[in-house]
Amino acid sequence: MSLVTGETLESTLLETMIPGRARIPDDPEPGNYVVVDVAQFSTTVPELFANGTEYIYVTEQRGNEPAFKAEHPDAKIGGSSGPNYEGEEGYDFFNSPSFVQDVDVDGRPTAMTSTNGGNAVMDLRLAGGDDVDVYVGGLTNGKAVADHLAGDDRETYFVAAGSKGKPSPEDLVGALYIARHLHGEPLTPEQRDVYREVVKFGKGPKYEDKPQVKRTDLYEYALDFDSRGVVPKLKGQRLYDVSDEAES
């Protein structure tokens, strides 16, 4: 990937940014696609890998996870947040980077999806075919994903998953953060502070009246820049950590 600066960088970012899951093309251009859903899918996925999961099976829709567990009895499965964000009965976890810390996924497969990030992964899988490679990136593993893709000659696109069909500030921030690393223009410390503030004040106030787990997920996990070296890549319907593999 060649380095770009100034107006060229801005033009490149505009051309490669998909601002919302609803904007994913029906026939995506060949290339790499990084799905960014900072709160929470793109933060939960790296935590599952950091805690040792073998792979993450992304279900086509919520509710398919028990069938996966029936075929893989050692699997741990994720469902909705359930009453008071304590998890859904019959499931082992939900889409929360802090909640999964207490779930034994080491050496086990896991299965989950999410309304925005997980479904965006599935949209790309179904629309893109063999010419599209799908990755999951956020603020915690953004540099790792960018470094992994830096030697690839193909174009890399960023899907800022958003919410309810609209762009979300935290996902746009996450996508731009990874893209700037990829194109050789990483943030200065001052710029990183600005990005952090956008996420904090764009998302945090919505969580003030919700259980503590939501604020923990945001402030202690989602905003922990580059804390994980995980590079989740979709192979078939499963995400694997390919951080130890050279990009071909």
Side-chain angles (χ1 to χ4, degrees), residues 32-117:
N32 302 310
Y33 286 76
V34 182
V35 172
V36 182
D37 179 10
V38 169
Q40 308 285 356
F41 188 76
S42 291
T43 306
T44 301
V45 164
E47 291 305 308
L48 287 171
F49 280 116
N51 290 335
T53 189
E54 180 185 359
Y55 61 83
I56 301 169
Y57 181 84
V58 184
T59 53
E60 292 189 3
Q61 60 184 9
R62 178 73 52 76
N64 290 354
E65 298 83 10
F68 177 83
K69 188 163 187 174
E71 296 180 0
H72 304 81
D74 61 333
K76 297 291 185 178
I77 58 174
S80 72
S81 56
N84 204 37
Y85 290 87
E86 294 178 349
E88 183 178 3
E89 185 176 355
Y91 289 80
D92 302 295
F93 64 91
F94 64 96
N95 185 22
S96 160
S98 62
F99 191 90
V100 301
Q101 303 303 322
D102 296 324
V103 181
D104 180 15
V105 300
D106 191 21
R108 301 171 183 266
T110 50
M112 67 175 294
T113 189
S114 73
T115 303
N116 300 304

Side-chain angles (χ1 to χ4, degrees), residues 24-29 121-132:
I24 294 174
D26 293 334
D27 186 16
E29 292 290 329
V121 167
M122 192 54 54
D123 291 346
L124 285 165
R125 172 181 176 266
L126 295 175
D130 295 337
D131 292 331
V132 166

